[in-house]
Amino acid sequence: MNSMIQEINACVEVLKAGGTILNPTDTLWGIGCDATNDRAVGKIYLLKKRMETKSLIVLLDDPDKLHHYAGNIPEIAWDLMKSVDTPLTIIYPNARNLAKNVVAEDNSIAIRIVRDVFCKQLIALFGKPIVSTSANVSGEKTPLSFKDISADITRNVDYIVKYQQNYSPALRPSRIIKLKENGEFKIIRK
């Protein structure tokens, strides 16, 4: 437990300085940064060699914080979060209080409320949402474990979490559901 706290503290320092981290999540290993910092988010696009028109997922530790980052949350969002027991990313309309380059062109934002203890504590201590994107260069295979992450990524992030490098929590990305303001939804990834 002590090593987890040390790793979280180290990550928070890097995030506060606008840096990037490579960290375990409730799905796969991810590249993360402060989701409210345009420059930090820009570093992730460069690192992934990804066009900024492809939006990123944001992680939050508590559903009570959703209203701060997404306006007009349809009632069905709460039902979906309660009914799904696997990691779920929901795309909400009307993003706000986030870096411009993390928000999609239609002003929506993909947010996942994490259940993973490391991520929850990291986000709670940092006090802001963090970006999370798969730890690969765009177009390359998504690594299923830490040892599969390419040197292009490990050489270029500002901090690599040492905690849980031998553990693969879910071995798959989250489900993604896009909500409309009227409560209609579309499954983007099962």
Side-chain angles (χ1 to χ4, degrees):
M1 191 63 132
N2 192 23
S3 66
M4 182 175 82
I5 302 297
Q6 290 170 329
E7 288 295 311
I8 288 170
N9 287 332
C11 286
V12 167
E13 291 309 308
V14 171
L15 293 170
K16 283 181 179 176
T20 56
I21 60 173
L22 181 59
N23 63 293
T25 73
D26 51 346
T27 57
L28 304 164
W29 274 78
I31 304 168
C33 74
D34 177 352
T36 66
N37 181 326
D38 291 345
R39 290 179 64 197
V41 173
K43 289 180 185 179
I44 288 190
Y45 281 110
L46 285 173
L47 182 62
K48 286 187 64 80
K49 300 178 179 135
R50 181 174 176 161
M51 292 174 27
E52 287 201 21
T53 54
K54 290 190 79 180
S55 57
L56 299 167
I57 291 174
V58 170
L59 302 181
L60 268 178
D61 61 321
D62 186 341
D64 290 341
K65 297 178 182 176
L66 269 174
H67 289 288
H68 192 68
Y69 302 104
N72 304 333
I73 298 168
E75 209 46 51
I76 193 165
W78 310 109
D79 296 335
L80 288 168
M81 281 186 268
K82 286 178 194 159
S83 67
V84 177
D85 60 354
T86 57
L88 173 67
T89 300
I90 298 177
I91 302 172
Y92 298 92
N94 304 313
R96 57 185 179 190
N97 301 316
L98 292 162
K100 288 186 250 11
N101 51 350
V102 81
V103 176
E105 288 178 331
D106 66 355
N107 200 40
S108 64
I109 187 64
I111 298 176
R112 185 167 74 244
I113 307 298
V114 293
R115 297 176 182 163
D116 175 78
V117 174
F118 180 88
C119 284
K120 277 182 95 65
Q121 290 186 13
L122 170 61
I123 297 163
L125 187 62
F126 181 52
K128 298 182 204 174
I130 62 171
V131 164
S132 184
T133 183
S134 57
N136 62 309
V137 171
S138 283
E140 292 182 1
K141 189 177 171 202
T142 301
L144 297 181
S145 66
F146 178 80
K147 65 180 178 25
D148 298 329
I149 299 169
S150 79
D152 280 345
I153 300 298
T154 57
R155 270 196 312 261
N156 293 303
V157 292
D158 296 311
Y159 187 76
I160 299 172
V161 172
K162 294 160 196 70
Y163 179 74
Q164 288 190 325
Q165 287 185 355
N166 295 320
Y167 176 69
S168 301
L171 293 179
R172 59 172 292 174
S174 65
R175 291 180 179 179
I176 301 177
I177 295 177
K178 184 168 186 170
L179 297 181
K180 294 182 180 172
E181 287 185 63
N182 64 7
E184 291 178 17
F185 66 92
K186 177 180 175 185
I187 297 172
I188 306 292
R189 181 171 67 200
K190 286 188 175 190

